[in-house]
Amino acid sequence: MAKTDSTPTTEAQEDDAAGARLSTAPAEDRGQAVPGSFGGVRRPGALGALAWTGREVIGWLRWFWRQLTSMRVALILLLLLSLATIPGSLIPQTSVDSVKADTWKEAHKTLTPIYEKLQLFHVYSSVWFSAIYILLFVSLIGCIVPRTWQFVGQLRGRPPKAPRRLDRLPAYATWRTDADPDEVLAAARRALRRKRFRTVAADDSVASEKGYLREAGNLLFHVSLIVMLVAFASAQLWKYEGGKLVVEGDKFSNTLTQYDDFKSGSLFSTDDLPPFGFQLKGFTGTYERTGPQKGTPRDYRAHISYWEGADGTPRDTTIKVNEPLEVGGSKVYLQGHGYAPKVTIRDGQGTVVYHGAVASLPLDNNITETTVIKVPDYWDKNGKKSQLGFTGNFVPTLDLRTGRMASVFPALDNPVLILTAYKGDLGIDSGLPQSVYKLETKRMKQFMEGDRPFARALKPGETMTLPDGAGSLKFDGISTWATFQISHKPGDMPALAGAVAALIGVAGSLFIQRRRVWVRAVRGADGRTVVELAGLGRSESAKVPEELYELAVALQSAAPPVAEEDADGTTPSGESSSGESPSGEDSSGEGSDESSGKSSAKSEEEKAVETAEERAVDKPAGANADATAEEPTRSAEPTDSSEGARA
């Protein structure tokens, strides 16, 4: 009785144990499962919570890494990077043109605070642009590393064995031949190698593959993107760029104090400026004289003498637009051109207080220039020290018929210097920075001629005498000036190489198509060899059936097809051994009349069989053909031997 009572208990325990092994629910006494987490079961206690938190953090990091390195996110980041460059193209950037940026800020005082908070005046160094840039960089690396290992595995791998049923593949062809299977396979392997297929021979088949280098194009494209990103980043971090206006006869040395404006990357030091310099010896400019493009520059040439190093030998050369001078790892570009009137100024005592060329800034395409002359040390006729200022315009070609003091042509056809004069405090002693091309007249008084402001129009060689014996200004002649941009960007060549490699990679990934071809040759039950060819492409392409057709034609020279036999073992006289139309004489040697009689006596079913055999033997099935539908049409009533060969 006691034994009987204990039996249900034992069976219940076994059922519970079996159920526990089958159940996937967490045991209540071992911890608590948190839905939707990566940490799994959260065990009680501090150690359990700590372990669960660690698993949760690692799980979320893995999820974030998988999302970041996915192709979808990489494309999204690339799109965001392209969109982020739009504000940098539409809004003036401080790093490119600070004057233009300041002018824009003054004209849009409402938007300026918002744009400054969004860092839209220095887009390419902003936090959000840098974040997109770095995330895209990491995403590309995360994509490349696993794909590289996969590609290495593909290179080391071999084409897979031939499928058991080749007739199910999109491109398929078959015929019978009297050649030995080994000879057929050897000929197939030679033909495939001539077409640059990678081949592997099995017992009764040859497997081949082509286009496996397509992945190399994808990898080259991704690596090229990384190279370009690194090149662009290095160009921004270690670059320097500056501008300099040089008057004819003056020199320039590559030091920071010589630049009119200078900007550099965050990792560049001015101590790294390469030592070189040049002197502007002359400038040649030609313009279109007639037609709708009158006044358009045709040729700008700056004739300079340059040297490299502290004791370098001067060498003469010419800088043209888009033909810079490369010296010291930097490029010197010709940016602009203008005129510099040469003047001699005397004070009230007759002493020369200024002599030289004054660079004037162009206002229009005909080089109407604004001219500013500042004389900080001046004594009037009474010996009182003061300061002089002149402002006006230089016009290379003045035409009074227009009624405007503006140039009508950029060449020096009728040069005129138009000036007015001021006396007082120039403001240059206040310590505040001041542009040399702008005259501050707040603390100055304009010379008057009666009740009108004093002004004169001078031609070369003429002199302007100031009122009340205040001095004079003589227009001696005209010099030329040119503006140069000195630029050093270390990432230009790597960026160009990356762009070219990216184009090559895209072309390879688009035009290289991966495909496989199998050839099987087995001896059938009737003693003849059954040859089967099949092809498969990774994507639908006309190359697979075309290559299979070419392979079948090349292989039939070593394995000529033979005609299919009827059920009684005789060969139809109306068929040739290749399945094509008869040449006019049957295989039995009888005359053409008898052959024609036999051909006309054929049934409709036999004609359909011949047509199907022609398609199956002479041409492999195309990408749109159904290989499984062609197989039953090769013979209306197959013999036992043919069924065994197909199996």
Side-chain angles (χ1 to χ4, degrees), residues 40-185:
V41 176
R42 183 172 182 175
R43 299 181 181 276
L47 294 178
L50 182 61
W52 179 86
T53 303
R55 293 193 300 268
E56 189 77 4
V57 171
I58 294 174
W60 279 107
L61 289 176
R62 288 178 176 175
W63 178 86
F64 178 77
W65 177 255
R66 286 194 299 267
Q67 299 300 317
L68 180 61
T69 56
S70 64
M71 184 61 67
R72 179 181 66 257
V73 173
L75 292 175
I76 293 174
L77 290 173
L78 191 60
L79 176 62
L80 290 177
L81 188 67
S82 302
L83 295 176
T85 59
I86 296 178
S89 302
L90 299 178
I91 302 173
Q93 300 296 293
T94 305
S95 59
V96 177
D97 192 341
S98 59
V99 176
K100 189 175 181 179
D102 293 338
T103 304
W104 194 95
K105 292 178 182 179
E106 293 178 1
H108 303 82
K109 295 184 178 181
T110 304
L111 294 176
T112 297
I114 301 175
Y115 282 11
E116 287 180 344
K117 290 181 179 179
L118 295 176
Q119 301 177 323
L120 295 181
F121 293 109
H122 43 91
V123 169
Y124 304 108
S125 59
S126 62
V127 175
W128 52 272
F129 188 88
S130 302
I132 298 174
Y133 202 90
I134 295 173
L135 287 176
L136 178 60
F137 188 82
V138 175
S139 178
L140 289 175
I141 293 178
C143 290
I144 288 175
V145 172
R147 294 183 68 170
T148 301
W149 288 115
Q150 293 177 3
F151 179 63
V152 171
Q154 292 176 3
L155 292 179
R156 297 178 61 185
R158 291 295 178 265
K161 295 173 58 178
R164 187 174 63 87
R165 293 290 301 274
L166 292 177
D167 56 350
R168 294 183 177 179
L169 298 181
Y172 176 77
T174 183
W175 71 87
R176 293 174 177 273
T177 182
D178 291 330
D180 187 73
D182 293 337
E183 297 178 357
V184 175
L185 295 178

Side-chain angles (χ1 to χ4, degrees), residues 345-353 379-380 469 471-472:
I345 302 175
R346 297 179 181 272
D347 61 9
Q349 305 291 327
T351 305
V352 175
V353 292
W379 285 263
D380 60 15
S472 64

Side-chain angles (χ1 to χ4, degrees), residues 227-228 231 235 326 331 489-500:
V227 171
M228 287 191 292
E326 297 188 18
K331 292 184 178 181
K489 293 183 178 180
D492 284 351
M493 292 306 297
L496 177 61
V500 173

Side-chain angles (χ1 to χ4, degrees), residues 399 484 527:
D399 189 353
F484 299 92

Side-chain angles (χ1 to χ4, degrees), residues 365-399:
N365 293 331
N366 289 323
I367 318 184
T368 301
E369 297 181 333
T370 176
T371 304
V372 173
I373 306 173
K374 299 180 181 181
V375 182
D377 297 323
Y378 163 79
W379 285 263
D380 60 15
K381 64 179 181 179
N382 300 321
K384 185 178 179 180
K385 186 176 181 181
S386 183
Q387 294 178 341
L388 282 180
F390 298 86
T391 182
N393 296 104
F394 172 76
V395 183
T397 302
L398 179 64
D399 189 353

